[in-house]
Amino acid sequence: MTETKPLAIIVLAAGKGTRMKSDLHKVLHPIAGRPMLMHLMASAAALAPERQVVIAGHGRDQLEKALGSSATIAVQDPQLGTAHAVQQAGGALAGFDGDVLILYGDVPFVRMETMQAMIARLHEPDSPAAVVLGFEPEDALQYGRVIAQQGRIMKMVEHKDATEAERRCRTCNSGLMALRSADLFGLLARVGNDNAQGEYYLPDVVNIAIADGRTCAVVVTDDADEVAGINSRAELAQAESRWQQRRRATAMADGATLIAPETVWFAWDTQIGRDVMIEPNVVFGPGVSVADHVTIHAFSHLEGATLAAGVQIGPYARLRPGADLREKAKVGNFVEIKNAVLHQGAKANHLTYLGDADVGAGANIGAGTITCNYDGYFKHKTVIGERAFIGSNSALIAPVKIGADAIVAAGSAVSRDVGDGELRMVRAEQLVKPGWADRFHDAMKKKKAEKKG
């Protein structure tokens, strides 16, 4: 039976990320609407670590803001290599006795199952001093190599320092490693910097342990994309593309129809029900939940929205945070919903803005209607009763309440409550001047002719 011990996570995130050419810390660049670091932290959190330490350098303040109290920040300054970076976690792990998993903030998609496999290997009968996560890419490029036989490591070598024979080895070093806390810092203290870069390399702890006669092991992932690092905007886009492809496949496997899958973009937490129809060019921001039998027409954008069963939206609809569409509600083309509830069967078919509103069941919102919810200082609420009918091009000036079964005539600007069953018409009196237009045209034509003459 695998031994269970307390777990600590060390995440290296001290790199400057110069290839990103960004003021934003590299590991905070989003994939699927979530910082890449937080993808990694979520996977690690599934293992219930007792301590989490993030090694920072450049952009420490940004990391502190993103992580809050979920992890301890340790600073690497100056930056003298990966082994030196891990050493900076010593203070945060003082008194800790357990397993330590070393991860990288720019390698965000390591699966929880892979992390578990590394820890489990640490506690197999041969009791390795270190477990390295290896991978076998199609092109080994400049990766360091793991020279191993039957899963037992003979040598770790950086590409720059490898011989031609060693470079032909297909097993590459992902950089991820699992060790016991009792071994880790003693091994780190013995790492030197006699190499091409003059840095303290983390893989050297493996070579030191092997020289001591200890066993070290490699666990090889069957998915090289899992350990792909992200160091540039191009690599960020590639990671986004891979993530989206997998999420689209999952949505379809779970019973949703994507007419043009490559044009649909999900967020990390998008929830999609069964028998959902998603037309081309639909974008999901974070915080969207879609129930069964929903239709989302083309070119719609959703963020922070909840869609109940049978809802229809779009095309060209925008649902902003707080949009709550109840069963069989309908939001049509060029309609924007923000912090508003549309109850069962309510509909706003086109050219409408509903912000900070509660729209009753069966209500009909005519084209061009807006809720005037902001006075320049505060937001105010509009309440529209069940089965109310709001005529086209109406402005509902909040705070205001429209009663059940009430009718607001087209073109009205309503600033006072409307009672149940009432008609409210707010229009200027029409002024009619027979023959005025004919006389105007005659006068202007004469004036234009005189100018030409």
Side-chain angles (χ1 to χ4, degrees):
M1 183 175 180
T2 301
E3 182 182 355
T4 300
K5 298 190 68 176
L7 175 66
I9 303 292
I10 299 175
V11 179
L12 304 191
K16 293 182 179 179
T18 53
R19 289 169 57 192
M20 282 289 192
K21 294 181 171 59
S22 175
D23 293 333
L24 182 65
H25 195 293
K26 177 173 69 170
V27 302
L28 297 181
H29 281 264
I31 298 171
R34 187 188 211 183
M36 66 173 87
L37 173 63
M38 305 318 290
H39 282 279
L40 179 67
M41 299 299 284
S43 295
L47 300 176
E50 184 177 294
R51 302 190 195 186
Q52 298 185 94
V53 186
V54 175
I55 310 301
H58 171 77
R60 172 187 176 180
D61 55 334
Q62 294 183 19
L63 291 175
E64 288 178 336
K65 183 177 180 181
L67 291 164
S69 61
S70 65
T72 300
I73 300 289
V75 179
Q76 183 192 23
D77 186 21
Q79 294 167 27
L80 303 177
T82 50
H84 178 257
V86 176
Q87 279 184 312
Q88 310 315 305
L93 296 186
F96 176 78
D97 182 18
D99 300 330
V100 179
L101 193 59
I102 300 170
L103 308 173
Y104 289 77
D106 58 3
V107 182
F109 294 124
V110 184
R111 293 171 295 175
M112 179 268 289
E113 294 81 1
T114 300
M115 299 179 195
Q116 280 182 321
M118 295 172 66
I119 296 166
R121 181 67 184 89
L122 197 63
H123 294 286
E124 288 188 7
D126 59 349
S127 190
V131 175
V132 173
L133 180 63
F135 67 108
E136 297 180 350
E138 292 182 8
D139 187 342
L141 300 172
Q142 304 295 309
Y143 293 112
R145 301 300 200 270
V146 182
I147 312 300
Q149 293 180 1
Q150 297 181 330
R152 182 172 178 173
I153 300 173
M154 303 292 106
K155 182 181 180 182
M156 300 280 290
V157 60
E158 292 293 320
H159 181 274
K160 299 180 183 68
D161 304 311
T163 66
E164 286 303 317
E166 289 169 340
R167 289 178 182 179
R168 286 194 290 271
C169 171
R170 292 194 62 234
T171 304
C172 296
N173 176 26
S174 71
L176 280 70
M177 197 175 296
L179 306 94
R180 297 172 187 78
S181 58
D183 294 325
L184 175 59
F185 292 101
L187 290 170
L188 287 170
R190 296 165 62 190
V191 173
N193 65 345
D194 184 15
N195 52 59
Q197 292 293 102
E199 293 187 349
Y200 298 89
Y201 290 144
L202 181 61
D204 284 350
V205 301
V206 175
N207 294 328
I208 292 169
I210 292 171
D212 289 346
R214 301 283 301 278
T215 295
C216 291
V218 60
V219 171
V220 180
T221 176
D222 58 3
D223 182 4
D225 287 343
E226 181 180 17
V227 293
I230 299 171
N231 297 292
S232 67
R233 306 276 186 162
E235 291 173 351
L236 183 69
Q238 291 164 6
E240 178 82 44
S241 179
R242 291 192 299 268
W243 190 95
Q244 293 293 342
Q245 287 173 5
R246 293 181 179 183
R247 183 63 183 88
R248 293 162 188 154
T250 298
M252 291 185 286
D254 289 345
T257 294
L258 278 59
I259 294 176
E262 69 281 2
T263 70
V264 176
W265 294 81
F266 291 106
W268 65 275
D269 60 349
T270 306
Q271 299 178 37
I272 302 293
R274 296 178 60 184
D275 293 312
V276 172
M277 170 70 74
I278 304 177
E279 292 186 355
N281 298 295
V282 171
V283 176
F284 294 89
V288 177
S289 176
V290 179
D292 297 345
H293 302 286
V294 168
T295 298
I296 303 174
H297 293 291
F299 293 99
S300 294
H301 186 284
L302 300 80
E303 180 179 3
T306 301
L307 281 63
V311 164
Q312 295 186 51
I313 75 161
Y316 295 97
R318 185 182 182 198
L319 303 187
R320 292 170 57 194
D324 183 355
L325 277 58
R326 305 291 170 84
E327 186 175 357
K328 294 184 179 180
K330 185 176 180 181
V331 170
N333 50 289
F334 302 104
V335 174
E336 180 178 355
I337 309 290
K338 190 274 295 184
N339 193 31
V341 178
L342 271 66
H343 290 273
Q344 182 175 3
K347 54 188 177 182
N349 281 329
H350 30 228
L351 302 166
T352 291
Y353 170 69
L354 297 173
D356 299 290
D358 188 287
V359 181
N364 183 88
I365 311 299
T369 295
I370 61 171
T371 55
C372 308
N373 57 326
Y374 184 50
D375 62 8
Y377 294 93
F378 302 102
K379 298 290 180 68
H380 301 281
K381 188 172 184 178
T382 298
V383 177
I384 299 171
E386 296 180 354
R387 300 173 301 280
F389 183 93
I390 310 300
S392 296
N393 201 34
S394 293
L396 307 181
I397 304 169
V400 69
K401 180 177 181 180
I402 312 299
D405 298 300
I407 296 175
V408 173
S412 295
V414 178
S415 58
R416 292 181 293 177
D417 291 352
V418 179
D420 294 349
E422 286 185 359
L423 166 67
R424 180 67 54 87
M425 181 183 297
V426 187
R427 300 175 184 161
E429 182 180 352
Q430 293 192 35
L431 180 64
V432 179
K433 294 186 176 182
W436 186 94
D438 291 335
R439 294 191 296 274
F440 172 78
H441 292 314
D442 291 342
M444 297 309 290
K445 289 175 183 178
K446 181 178 179 181
K447 187 174 182 180
K448 188 172 183 180
E450 291 173 349
K451 283 191 175 181
K452 288 183 177 179

